[in-house]
Amino acid sequence: MSDQRRRRLAALLDGLTAAHVDSLLVTSLANVRYLTGFSGSSALLLVSQREALLITDFRYQTQAADEVGDSARVLIEPQSLWAGLWQQLAQQPGVQVLGFESAHLLHRDFQRLMEAGARWQWRPTLDLVETLRERKDPEEVQLIERAANVAIRALERTLAEVRVGMTELQVAGVLERALRDEGSEGFPFPSIVASGSRSALPHARATSARVREGDLLLLDFGAEVEGYCADITRTVVVGRASAEQREIYDVVRHANEQASHSIRAGMTGRDADAIARGYIEQRGYGDLFGHGLGHGVGLEVHEAPRLSRTADGALAEGAVVTIEPGVYRPGWGGVRIEDDVVLDAAGPRILTKFTRELIEIPG
Amino acid sequence: MSDQRRRRLAALLDGLTAAHVDSLLVTSLANVRYLTGFSGSSALLLVSQREALLITDFRYQTQAADEVGDSARVLIEPQSLWAGLWQQLAQQPGVQVLGFESAHLLHRDFQRLMEAGARWQWRPTLDLVETLRERKDPEEVQLIERAANVAIRALERTLAEVRVGMTELQVAGVLERALRDEGSEGFPFPSIVASGSRSALPHARATSARVREGDLLLLDFGAEVEGYCADITRTVVVGRASAEQREIYDVVRHANEQASHSIRAGMTGRDADAIARGYIEQRGYGDLFGHGLGHGVGLEVHEAPRLSRTADGALAEGAVVTIEPGVYRPGWGGVRIEDDVVLDAAGPRILTKFTRELIEIPG
């Protein structure tokens, strides 16, 4: 087993002891991947002091053996993963009190635990693995940085191709093809391409709306390398920027820069959020920044920690977080500038090395 | 309210009565969209005899009003959707016994019902809305057919561009850009582009493996129009097909054709599966067809009904299902041919009108 996975499992076992359970049923696929390397879409992982046991189905026979190695014993279950679980548990008399992941188990499956699994005691747990994932090791940061580089190169290629008259969907197509060409394994979330007044919608996708001269054009998208995600946003102007566009862009750019340079491990997520929010408020746009400053990024594109007005946990050293302030004026448009930053002991380091200067693309 | 949505809500209310609940908390976003038109990523929908109430957050204020119209009362909740729910429920004294969607509620949220929602009685329900969704109305079939046409045109453009030496990721990029150009709102699932022996993996994604002369090349992907999905697979040969490739292709093609022409509403999912499976067994390849024949497709790319050896429900008239037999020889490669078929009263009608003849693309 790699040292990395051995450390993760050992840390999780400490967590189980603290949570007063002797084993944990892991149902989050991102958590399964973190602990075993398995990237398939169907798995139950049972972690006990004795062993880690991965149960999956016939489709993943070859893949599971390749990916998991000796990180876990792999069981290919022909009928139902749950039937396999009951059978295996019956052979482990030492296992009596099991934790399950309350945030990753559907009520339907919880009923299975209460019925077919009634011989055992089940305790809900929260964030036992997620907390470990918050602190990235150097190999993980490297993968996120590789994903960030893929995203950056794809963005450069896309901005060189965008023209007035293209639909947002066409722009998304250029971007996504470039992401694939640069090696992205997938799209961690639906690409946001929002032009004109649609850039004021923080959760726009791409539509058949056409890019027009003078528009703000917001691109928010991800890349994925070996399961690790990067998440970046840039907002450009098509043609020459107006004074108002410049003003709002300048506010968001400075808010991003201040937060990206001042954020530190040990701060709370609220304190980090306040750096950008305080600046935006001071410039008079506080009411137009309606969402939190950012979120962790790693095997999932949204993971712990959160940076927001209500996040009172301290940020772990090694966490990778997005810094994504925005100012949105309904009916007019919005600007968001998002970077991924790792919180090293020595200070923050920006992984998405793409200019934050205002870009005016040819109209 | 549109007649379509009025019919759906009325049918659901009948279902609630039969399930002995006076209201239903809908947490599946696909079910929310079906009932109200709302396509955002954050919502709770409460359906009672008195009204339908959609609770969402500030990001969706404009979008919710536009999409929902008078299908539901929309409440924008500044803090937490759940806090909004408790407050609203407290004002509806008639509501006492509520159903919730057991297959779409995390244990963590179930605990909210048991704690903050302890004033009310909660009953798990299964498939109350999904059963309605199984039978598509003509407008829904039209949208799936439009998505199928987007997928077909993108596939044509992609096959014209694939060349030996491209990586699977590059092929995915060509395909996904073409999907966007043709108007696909998104990718319903990660595109599968699997070359050579990787085509034997039923759940391959795309990798940096290069397409080689003589390879089987399997493309399985989706398109989305107004929320409705199409799902298609074709397997081609790069260069000239070998005798063994032709033989296996022929088996799968005939299995698809027999099932696509003989499937009928009223049959069980098992009977439909048996048409293709029986043929593949008769040709001597039964052991190499390890998955079910297909699944429903609509607002989700995998939905009810299932076509498999264990599916004993009768297929509804108006259901749209995939027909996707495959033969997979580990280490050698695999062939899958997938179409989307609507089960009209008069018989099956194929929505993915793309040839099933073996295509050899220039090597």
Side-chain angles (χ1 to χ4, degrees), chain A residues 22-191:
Chain A
D22 49 48
S23 303
L24 180 67
L25 176 65
V26 182
T27 46
S28 150
L29 291 170
N31 288 347
V32 168
R33 187 165 189 172
Y34 181 76
L35 294 169
T36 69
F38 180 66
S39 70
S41 66
S42 158
L44 295 174
L45 176 68
L46 181 67
V47 176
S48 65
Q49 299 290 341
R50 205 179 86 176
E51 67 169 1
L53 168 69
L54 179 83
I55 308 176
T56 183
D57 68 49
F58 78 96
R59 295 172 300 174
Y60 293 112
Q61 185 141 27
T62 312
Q63 180 180 332
D66 289 351
E67 292 179 335
V68 173
D70 60 355
S71 301
R73 178 162 67 90
V74 174
L75 181 75
I76 302 296
E77 173 56 44
Q79 298 302 322
S80 127
L81 304 191
W82 294 98
L85 176 66
W86 310 135
Q87 209 165 39
Q88 291 293 317
L89 276 177
Q91 295 165 24
Q92 304 200 10
V95 173
Q96 292 177 337
V97 183
L98 293 104
F100 64 91
E101 299 188 300
S102 178
H104 305 287
L105 189 80
L106 291 169
H107 177 267
R108 180 188 54 191
D109 295 325
F110 170 67
Q111 282 191 314
R112 297 182 206 267
L113 305 187
M114 297 300 106
E115 291 164 15
R119 287 172 54 180
W120 297 274
Q121 288 177 56
W122 296 95
R123 303 245 169 97
T125 67
L126 278 176
D127 298 335
L128 287 177
V129 185
E130 287 84 339
T131 303
L132 305 178
R133 283 169 48 196
E134 212 166 315
R135 184 186 301 269
K136 269 68 180 173
D137 53 42
E139 295 84 351
E140 293 181 285
V141 176
Q142 272 177 20
L143 293 173
I144 298 170
E145 191 160 17
R146 280 175 54 196
N149 287 333
V150 166
I152 286 168
R153 288 192 298 267
L155 181 57
E156 283 164 355
R157 290 171 59 170
T158 304
L159 293 180
E161 283 196 49
V162 173
R163 290 291 173 271
V164 167
M166 288 173 74
T167 66
E168 293 170 355
L169 286 168
Q170 286 172 324
V171 175
V174 172
L175 175 66
E176 288 156 351
R177 178 166 181 178
L179 284 164
R180 292 299 206 175
D181 280 346
E182 296 293 343
S184 185
E185 292 158 9
F187 309 115
F189 59 94
S191 307

Side-chain angles (χ1 to χ4, degrees), chain A residues 102-362:
Chain A
S102 178
H104 305 287
L105 189 80
L106 291 169
H107 177 267
R108 180 188 54 191
D109 295 325
F110 170 67
Q111 282 191 314
R112 297 182 206 267
L113 305 187
M114 297 300 106
E115 291 164 15
R119 287 172 54 180
W120 297 274
Q121 288 177 56
W122 296 95
R123 303 245 169 97
T125 67
L126 278 176
D127 298 335
L128 287 177
V129 185
E130 287 84 339
T131 303
L132 305 178
R133 283 169 48 196
E134 212 166 315
R135 184 186 301 269
K136 269 68 180 173
D137 53 42
E139 295 84 351
E140 293 181 285
V141 176
Q142 272 177 20
L143 293 173
I144 298 170
E145 191 160 17
R146 280 175 54 196
N149 287 333
V150 166
I152 286 168
R153 288 192 298 267
L155 181 57
E156 283 164 355
R157 290 171 59 170
T158 304
L159 293 180
E161 283 196 49
V162 173
R163 290 291 173 271
V164 167
M166 288 173 74
T167 66
E168 293 170 355
L169 286 168
Q170 286 172 324
V171 175
V174 172
L175 175 66
E176 288 156 351
R177 178 166 181 178
L179 284 164
R180 292 299 206 175
D181 280 346
E182 296 293 343
S184 185
E185 292 158 9
F187 309 115
F189 59 94
S191 307
I192 298 176
V193 177
S195 62
S197 63
R198 292 191 70 255
S199 57
L201 305 172
H203 277 66
R205 288 170 62 175
T207 70
S208 55
R210 289 187 190 277
V211 174
R212 292 165 315 174
E213 177 85 28
D215 270 357
L216 289 165
L217 178 66
L218 185 153
L219 298 106
D220 182 353
F221 62 97
E224 183 189 335
V225 170
E226 292 185 33
Y228 283 83
C229 304
D231 182 2
I232 185 171
T233 307
R234 285 296 182 272
T235 309
V236 300
V237 172
V238 183
R240 301 286 293 183
S242 69
E244 188 173 12
Q245 287 169 338
R246 285 191 177 279
E247 154 82 4
I248 288 186
Y249 192 92
D250 188 69
V251 172
V252 176
R253 179 166 68 89
H254 278 99
N256 176 311
E257 284 173 356
Q258 295 202 4
S260 296
H261 293 118
S262 309
I263 190 171
R264 291 286 182 283
M267 246 178 209
T268 65
R270 181 174 36 225
D271 290 342
D273 178 271
I275 302 168
R277 194 170 304 282
Y279 179 80
I280 293 173
E281 283 168 357
Q282 179 194 321
R283 294 278 300 259
Y285 293 91
D287 291 348
L288 303 181
F289 175 28
H291 57 73
L293 180 63
H295 53 81
V297 63
L299 284 171
E300 292 176 291
V301 75
H302 289 99
E303 57 180 53
R306 283 186 313 114
L307 312 181
S308 78
R309 276 172 286 195
T310 57
D312 48 17
L315 302 174
E317 191 183 311
V320 178
V321 297
T322 67
I323 303 282
E324 48 177 313
V327 168
Y328 311 96
R329 178 165 281 168
W332 177 83
V335 172
R336 180 166 64 252
I337 305 175
E338 174 185 32
D339 287 301
D340 301 344
V341 175
V342 56
L343 308 185
D344 284 339
R349 185 162 58 88
I350 293 161
L351 302 177
T352 41
K353 296 181 201 74
F354 191 95
T355 185
R356 296 194 198 95
E357 296 296 315
L358 176 60
I359 295 175
E360 295 171 315
I361 61 177

Side-chain angles (χ1 to χ4, degrees), chain B residues 5-165:
Chain B
R5 292 205 194 129
R6 199 187 314 274
R7 276 198 309 273
R8 291 174 183 176
L9 269 176
L12 178 58
L13 290 174
D14 288 346
L16 300 195
T17 306
H20 305 292
V21 295
D22 49 50
S23 302
L24 180 68
L25 175 65
V26 182
T27 46
S28 151
L29 290 171
N31 289 346
V32 168
R33 187 167 190 171
Y34 181 76
L35 294 168
T36 69
F38 181 65
S39 70
S41 66
S42 159
L44 295 175
L45 175 68
L46 181 67
V47 177
S48 65
Q49 300 290 341
R50 204 179 86 176
E51 67 168 0
L53 167 68
L54 179 83
I55 308 176
T56 183
D57 68 48
F58 77 97
R59 296 173 298 175
Y60 293 111
Q61 185 142 25
T62 312
Q63 180 180 331
D66 288 351
E67 291 179 337
V68 173
D70 60 354
S71 300
R73 178 162 66 91
V74 174
L75 180 75
I76 302 297
E77 173 57 43
Q79 298 303 321
S80 127
L81 305 191
W82 295 99
L85 177 65
W86 309 136
Q87 209 166 40
Q88 291 293 317
L89 277 176
Q91 295 164 22
Q92 304 201 7
V95 173
Q96 292 177 338
V97 183
L98 293 105
F100 65 90
E101 299 188 298
S102 177
H104 305 287
L105 189 80
L106 291 169
H107 177 266
R108 179 187 56 190
D109 294 325
F110 171 66
Q111 282 191 313
R112 296 182 206 267
L113 305 187
M114 297 300 106
E115 292 163 13
R119 286 173 54 180
W120 297 274
Q121 288 177 55
W122 296 96
R123 303 244 168 96
T125 67
L126 277 177
D127 298 335
L128 287 177
V129 184
E130 287 85 337
T131 303
L132 304 179
R133 284 169 49 196
E134 211 167 315
R135 183 185 303 268
K136 269 70 180 172
D137 53 43
E139 295 83 351
E140 293 181 285
V141 175
Q142 272 177 20
L143 292 174
I144 298 170
E145 190 159 20
R146 280 175 54 195
N149 287 334
V150 166
I152 285 168
R153 288 192 298 266
L155 181 57
E156 283 165 354
R157 291 171 58 169
T158 304
L159 293 180
E161 282 196 51
V162 173
R163 291 292 173 272
V164 166

